[in-house]
């Protein structure tokens, strides 16, 4: 649950989280010198009996998943999204959700939402974990989560429902029932036309409603220049960016979001940037990592950053293949075998105890003016 706000708003009129730890502007992260199933979501597709046969056909289509190089991908709008949707990827998304909660001090959002919001939309909901938590926090609000894959659980809060939808297609939501809050996270690499998406979000928000985008930079940094000790990891990031640009859905777009939100007409736009440590923090291998991927030490000295890094590192290890396999094989023309050999070298760089890497998490939120 988010804490009561310390933001400029009328007393008792908004909810917003307390300032979480880690906002950019703090000193460099200090190394520690002493340590070396799928849901049955038919109802989400609509309950119009006149369209039952069409819905049945669509359900069959979206669940006819595609398998490629040992991973499972969505079938609805096949090829539009390069990340898999299998259990391993769902685990990664849920682990990253927990890491982000630690970074934001448990807050699900940073926008100063009013208490009585009625409708909220989560675009690209993935496993639905954020939408579930948000629906629990706002039990009187109707919460909708959309995604290309119906992988969300069926046991969810009664005020939440999911639907299969493409965020870049024309939105079909009722304009007479605008949203109070629209949320996206980690959509870099899946959106080809951000201006259109943001214009549609603006159109479907009530006056005074908020939009929030949360996005990691798809790059790694180090305050002590130790990223130079990870040449394969650096090459991986270069190839990943190259492939996503060719695919015309660039991954590394977090730094552009603030201006894009402003260009879409939103006001009171704020951007918060958080340092998120990436260094491995496991003393023994988690069940989903092989022994060769097991890190042996902890680098951030700060205990909170150690905890953040533990989960973020797990998500990073899993993301190496999730983000690259389709892009490298479909776009760059690499074979699966060539890709896997390269990824093995990348993982060795990630496990290098001398590399003190981190990434930046951008949180951008803006308000639709009360009068146009």
């Amino acid at each position: 649950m988010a804490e009561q706000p310390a933001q400029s708003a009328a007393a008792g009129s908004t909810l917003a989280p307390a300032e979480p730890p880690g906002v950019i502007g703090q000193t460099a992260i200090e190394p520690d010198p002493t340590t070396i199933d799928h849901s049955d979501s038919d109802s989400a597709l609509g309950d119009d009996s006149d369209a039952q046969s069409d819905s049945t056909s669509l359900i069959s289509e979206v669940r006819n998943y595609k398998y490629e190089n040992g991973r499972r991908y969505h079938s609805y709008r096949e090829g539009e999204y390069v990340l898999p949707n299998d259990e391993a990827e769902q685990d990664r998304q849920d682990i990253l959700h927990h890491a982000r909660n630690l970074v934001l001090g448990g807050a699900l959002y940073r926008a100063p939402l009013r208490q009585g919001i009625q409708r909220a939309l989560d675009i690209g909901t993935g496993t639905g974990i954020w939408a579930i938590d948000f629906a629990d926090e706002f039990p009187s609000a109707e919460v909708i989560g959309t995604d290309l894959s119906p992988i969300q659980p069926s046991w969810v809060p009664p005020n939440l429902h999911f639907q299969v939808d493409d965020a870049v297609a024309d939105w079909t939501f009722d304009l007479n029932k605008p949203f109070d809050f629209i949320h996206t996270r980690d959509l870099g690499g899946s959106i080809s036309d951000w201006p259109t998406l943001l214009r549609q979000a603006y159109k479907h928000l009530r006056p005074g409603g908020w939009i929030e985008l949360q996005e990691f930079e798809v790059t790694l940094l180090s305050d002590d220049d130790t990223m130079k000790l990870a040449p394969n990891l650096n090459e991986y990031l270069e190839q990943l960016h190259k492939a996503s640009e060719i695919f015309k859905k660039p991954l590394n777009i977090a730094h552009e979001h603030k201006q894009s939100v402003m260009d879409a007409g939103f006001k009171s736009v704020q951007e918060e940037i958080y340092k998120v440590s990436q260094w491995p923090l496991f003393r023994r291998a988690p069940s989903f990592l092989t022994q060769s991927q097991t890190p042996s030490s902890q680098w951030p000295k700060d205990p909170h950053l150690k905890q953040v890094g533990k989960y973020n590192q797990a998500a990073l290890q899993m993301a190496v293949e999730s983000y690259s396999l389709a892009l490298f094989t479909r776009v760059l023309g690499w074979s699966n075998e060539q890709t896997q050999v390269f990824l093995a070298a990348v993982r060795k760089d990630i496990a290098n105890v001398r590399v003190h890497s981190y990434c930046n998490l951008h949180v951008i939120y803006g308000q639709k003016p009360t009068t146009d």
Side-chain angles (χ1 to χ4, degrees):
M1 292 283 291
E3 299 178 13
Q4 291 298 322
Q7 304 196 23
S8 57
S13 64
T14 62
L15 288 174
E19 190 67 29
V23 181
I24 284 293
Q26 83 283 35
T27 57
I29 299 174
E30 183 180 359
D32 187 343
T34 66
T35 59
I36 301 286
D37 301 329
H38 310 309
S39 64
D40 180 3
S41 55
D42 297 8
S43 62
L45 297 173
D47 54 5
D48 186 349
S49 58
D50 293 336
Q52 185 62 45
S53 60
D54 289 341
S55 295
T56 301
S57 175
L58 179 58
I59 292 166
S60 176
E61 176 189 350
V62 299
R63 291 181 176 162
N64 184 26
Y65 298 127
K66 305 301 180 183
Y67 293 82
E68 181 180 310
N69 296 320
R71 302 301 299 266
R72 193 189 70 191
Y73 296 85
H74 70 99
S75 57
Y76 179 62
R77 304 291 174 90
E78 181 181 353
E80 290 297 313
Y81 184 61
V82 296
L83 270 69
N85 68 1
D86 51 25
E87 285 75 10
E89 173 60 14
Q90 293 175 47
D91 287 344
R92 184 193 71 83
Q93 292 182 23
D94 288 351
I95 290 170
L96 188 59
H97 174 75
H98 183 67
R100 193 189 316 251
N101 280 352
L102 291 172
V103 173
L104 298 180
L108 295 172
Y109 56 89
R110 292 290 298 157
L113 302 184
R114 63 187 181 89
Q115 294 189 21
I117 66 171
Q118 296 299 307
R119 300 191 84 214
L121 174 64
D122 183 27
I123 302 173
T125 195
T127 66
I129 190 170
W130 181 91
I132 291 170
D133 288 350
F134 188 86
D136 281 336
E137 185 169 333
F138 290 91
S140 64
E142 177 189 12
V143 182
I144 299 172
T146 65
D147 203 273
L148 290 176
S149 294
I151 58 173
Q152 301 79 31
S154 55
W155 290 96
V156 298
N159 58 321
L160 167 65
H161 69 273
F162 298 111
Q163 63 185 57
V164 175
D165 203 359
D166 185 351
V168 298
D170 290 338
W171 291 15
T172 58
F173 300 111
D174 187 351
L175 287 171
N176 293 318
K177 299 172 64 178
F179 294 100
D180 298 283
F181 184 47
I182 295 178
H183 167 269
T184 79
R185 57 171 53 183
D186 303 333
L187 290 188
S190 59
I191 303 298
S192 58
D193 189 351
W194 280 99
T196 294
L197 185 150
L198 291 171
R199 281 196 299 269
Q200 294 201 92
Y202 186 96
K203 181 179 179 181
H204 285 267
L205 273 171
R206 68 165 182 84
W210 290 86
I211 187 171
E212 179 164 316
L213 287 68
Q214 297 188 12
E215 197 85 42
F216 283 98
E217 293 179 8
V218 185
T219 191
L220 293 174
L221 307 168
S222 59
D223 291 326
D224 54 5
D225 203 29
T226 53
M227 272 299 293
K228 66 184 180 183
L229 303 177
N232 293 299
L233 180 55
N234 288 318
E235 175 67 15
Y236 169 84
L237 292 168
E238 181 178 337
Q239 294 296 330
L240 196 65
H241 295 160
K242 173 185 174 182
S244 71
E245 293 281 354
I246 294 173
F247 191 55
K248 299 192 182 304
K249 295 181 179 181
L251 280 162
N252 199 31
I253 43 75
H255 61 287
E256 300 175 2
H257 277 340
K258 181 180 180 181
Q259 187 61 51
S260 297
V261 170
M262 294 172 63
D263 290 344
F266 292 95
K267 305 301 181 182
S268 303
V269 178
Q270 300 294 317
E271 180 175 42
E272 300 172 357
I273 305 176
Y274 303 84
K275 271 185 177 179
V276 184
S277 59
Q278 294 279 4
W279 185 235
L281 303 178
F282 294 104
R283 290 213 178 264
R284 67 179 61 173
S287 59
F288 49 81
L289 299 182
T290 66
Q291 188 62 37
S292 64
Q293 298 168 343
T294 307
S296 59
S297 68
Q298 311 177 45
W299 80 262
K301 189 174 183 179
D302 181 86
H304 176 75
L305 293 180
K306 287 180 185 288
Q307 184 74 354
V308 171
K310 180 174 75 171
Y311 290 97
N312 206 39
Q313 168 63 17
L316 175 62
Q317 288 280 10
M318 302 170 83
V320 167
E321 180 177 280
S322 291
Y323 274 88
S324 64
L325 191 54
L327 283 174
F328 285 10
T329 57
R330 297 177 193 172
V331 178
L332 298 183
W334 294 19
S335 68
N336 183 37
E337 293 75 15
Q338 179 185 7
T339 302
Q340 295 299 341
V341 169
F342 177 58
L343 296 185
V346 173
R347 291 187 181 103
K348 288 183 179 179
D349 276 358
I350 292 174
N352 186 341
V353 298
R354 297 178 296 166
V355 180
H356 303 146
S357 63
Y358 66 89
C359 67
N360 290 327
L361 169 64
H362 294 242
V363 180
I364 301 95
Y365 49 91
Q367 186 177 36
K368 181 175 179 177
T370 53
T371 57
D372 289 327

